[in-house]
Amino acid sequence: MSAAEVQSRQEEPPSVHVSEGGATLAEIARAAGVSAPTVSKVLNGRADVAPATRSRVEELLRRHGYRRRRGGAQQSQLLDLVFHELESAWAMEVIRGVENVARQEGLSLVLSESAGRLTPGQTWVDAVLARRPAGVILVLSDLDSAQRTQLTSRDIPFVVVDPAGDPGDEVPSIGATNWHGGLAATRHLVELGHRRIGVIGGPSSMMCSRARIDGYRAALETAGVAFDPRLVRDGDFHHEAGYACGLELLRLPDPPTAVFTGNDLQALGLYQAARELGLRIPEDLSVVGFDDLPLARWVGPPLTTVRQPLTEMAEAAARLVLDFGRGRQPGVTRVELATSLVMRSSTAPPAR
Amino acid sequence: MSAAEVQSRQEEPPSVHVSEGGATLAEIARAAGVSAPTVSKVLNGRADVAPATRSRVEELLRRHGYRRRRGGAQQSQLLDLVFHELESAWAMEVIRGVENVARQEGLSLVLSESAGRLTPGQTWVDAVLARRPAGVILVLSDLDSAQRTQLTSRDIPFVVVDPAGDPGDEVPSIGATNWHGGLAATRHLVELGHRRIGVIGGPSSMMCSRARIDGYRAALETAGVAFDPRLVRDGDFHHEAGYACGLELLRLPDPPTAVFTGNDLQALGLYQAARELGLRIPEDLSVVGFDDLPLARWVGPPLTTVRQPLTEMAEAAARLVLDFGRGRQPGVTRVELATSLVMRSSTAPPAR
């Protein structure tokens, strides 16, 4: 038997995942007019295949729903974690969670950044196909449908850790209860006696931000406080947005006595705006953040904030993706972990 | 030719790195009384070798200074980064630097944490030998001499990113000019007119902390200000130490009017201590931090601090280790990158 035949035989048994009539590797090869080893090369992310051949094979793999037989090629002891960007202070919380699970499972963590793009590039996909990780965890990133097919056909499972709250329906993901977080933050302020409560959101394109603001609005309305669109600002999730939107809100003719910010970094920007205007926190202005990063405890005054369990979310995502890899298919593949209000010193009853 | 013979032949050519008379793989095998493929398995970190055999072979590899012929086994497209702990806020700065270089070089970053131990465990070493990264970068961690031998004999280069400033002489490392940082911070305070200047160090076992305090002392003495040991406190590099040591200093009968802290997190702890005692920064107390983490810009007041170029240090370490892997041997393998004073709003002339 030639080496090519051996390789072909290793790949050929029908996939245990494929529906009746699913194509074998040999059938894919025949349809593409190439040899079985060539299909195998495409499956393994090898570079020595002509681009036109590669796309013809990929298209056939996709059309036939081909899935590699489990164990047909050895998985590495790697677990891939991909960030949209490593800038954010909460990235470390996520890394820690995935690293915890990786260590317990004897896996090593491969960390990538998709350089600010929401979809990782083809270079990344090729590298993943070549190294065959036990699973892929994406943070605020998503795969396009061709990439999903590529990973699925190689039996490489993936899960999204999703603080943004907007993965496609078919993508397994672990998020947080953003709406409830917005509700709890705003209820706390209402219960302290605040009626003019501002809110600074993240980008309006992010579902997590919409959910938080909807929770804010629900808390106001159930308490009989009118929703005032002038007290709502859209920013991004950086310090600067908290500062700029904070100045706008605090300079209104009838400014808010409390503000719920989209995240802790924005809250620090709002702290700065308040300082510049000579407003004391919490005496003149109450502030509630979101995330509960370590720095929320360290700032002055320590920040009341909604804890998003980022490390636990990352751990859950890592366990879910490894479960997929072991053939376990949990019934629910879209999970939101609970947020909780952490009370510190940045909130108090209004002075006026 | 049998498969074992093929493998043996691949491994056998004399190492290009080894001095005249260095042992070949076959000679190591003969001396150990095992087959060449067994030595090869040990070299590749494979698990299917009896522990006693493995240590006998390792000892012979070490004694004979065996080094694998470059290219004798294929290196993976991975770059390993190991932290002592992922807790610290500056870990993200280091990750970003290594990730920048990895991306430019088409490598993927493998991230590990040695679970708080300064020396990574054998499980980690075995995994590294098996995955054959292009290089290993250690942060605040170090390898013991057996581990160094294991990596060196497999031609896996390593470099230490070393904010602690205390690697062994034979370990290539990238650090920062800690002494100059301490000097610059303290000179700035002296020039503002401060004479009672406190300092909070990191753990006294860390050379970086000793260097910073020595720089502090040098600035005082060259300015003709007497060094007062009562104004010196040793802490660790966490927020809590800044708070606790800060309270001690500020409650002295003759408290300092300015404090140079070991890092930015300690500075935030000191901020908290000052707030609790009703002291305003910078009117009643000037504070200089160390590191220039992003949060230094965000706190109130924004922190004057000594910038340690962590991202650049990590980039330099990644480039150095890849240079080693390509056979380039830079003349200097212990480099300190410059620190610089970043002036913000936490320092002012003393009120008294």
Side-chain angles (χ1 to χ4, degrees), chain A residues 86-309:
Chain A
L86 282 172
E87 291 299 316
S88 174
W90 51 255
M92 185 55 72
E93 307 296 303
V94 173
I95 290 171
R96 201 177 298 150
V98 177
E99 158 66 16
N100 286 347
V101 173
R103 196 168 53 235
Q104 287 160 19
E105 299 284 337
L107 299 170
S108 298
L109 172 62
V110 181
L111 183 68
S112 317
E113 187 196 32
S114 57
R117 289 173 308 191
L118 286 173
T119 306
Q122 192 57 39
T123 314
W124 175 83
V125 175
D126 289 342
V128 166
L129 298 184
R131 67 176 163 255
R132 305 192 56 73
V136 173
I137 298 157
L138 299 124
V139 185
L140 269 185
S141 301
D142 198 7
L143 303 173
D144 64 31
S145 96
Q147 293 172 336
R148 281 182 211 160
T149 304
Q150 286 184 294
L151 264 59
T152 304
S153 65
R154 277 70 163 185
D155 223 6
I156 299 174
F158 55 91
V159 166
V160 175
V161 176
D162 172 42
D166 195 24
D169 287 343
E170 69 279 31
V171 181
S173 70
I174 306 284
T177 58
N178 288 297
W179 185 87
H180 267 287
L183 183 82
T186 312
R187 278 208 170 142
H188 168 57
L189 293 169
V190 168
E191 283 165 7
L192 285 170
H194 293 277
R195 291 300 173 266
R196 287 195 64 72
I197 302 174
V199 66
I200 302 175
S204 56
S205 61
M206 281 203 188
M207 289 299 117
C208 64
S209 180
R210 289 184 172 267
R212 290 172 201 175
I213 292 179
D214 284 348
Y216 153 88
R217 188 168 179 157
L220 291 183
E221 291 177 353
T222 55
V225 179
F227 172 78
D228 183 347
R230 289 169 302 176
L231 296 183
V232 180
R233 289 290 182 285
D234 279 342
D236 57 29
F237 279 136
H238 295 287
H239 172 271
E240 291 73 15
Y243 173 70
C245 297
L247 279 182
E248 285 177 27
L249 286 172
L250 298 177
R251 282 172 174 159
L252 287 174
D254 188 6
T257 60
V259 177
F260 167 44
T261 62
N263 69 0
D264 292 347
L265 298 187
Q266 281 188 353
L268 293 202
L270 177 59
Y271 272 38
Q272 184 186 339
R275 273 195 307 274
E276 291 187 8
L277 298 178
L279 297 172
R280 293 161 303 161
I281 298 170
E283 294 83 351
D284 304 318
L285 178 72
S286 286
V287 179
V288 182
F290 203 103
D291 279 344
D292 195 22
L293 298 180
L295 57 80
R297 301 194 304 272
W298 299 332
V299 294
L303 180 66
T304 295
T305 190
V306 177
R307 179 173 142 73
Q308 169 164 234

Side-chain angles (χ1 to χ4, degrees), chain A residues 78 86-88 91-92 95-96 99 103 108-113 115 127 131 239-240 265 268 275 295 298-300 302, chain B residues 78 86-88 91-92 95-96 99 103 108-113 115 127 131 239-240 265 268 275 295 298-300 302:
Chain A
L78 300 171
L86 282 172
E87 291 299 316
S88 174
M92 185 55 72
I95 290 171
R96 201 177 298 150
E99 158 66 16
R103 196 168 53 235
S108 298
L109 172 62
V110 181
L111 183 68
S112 317
E113 187 196 32
R131 67 176 163 255
H239 172 271
E240 291 73 15
L265 298 187
L268 293 202
R275 273 195 307 274
L295 57 80
W298 299 332
V299 294
Chain B
L78 300 172
L86 282 172
E87 291 299 317
S88 174
M92 184 55 71
I95 290 173
R96 203 178 295 149
E99 159 66 17
R103 197 169 50 238
S108 298
L109 172 62
V110 180
L111 183 68
S112 317
E113 187 198 32
R131 67 176 163 257
H239 171 272
E240 292 71 17
L265 297 187
L268 293 202
R275 273 196 307 276
L295 57 80
W298 300 333
V299 295

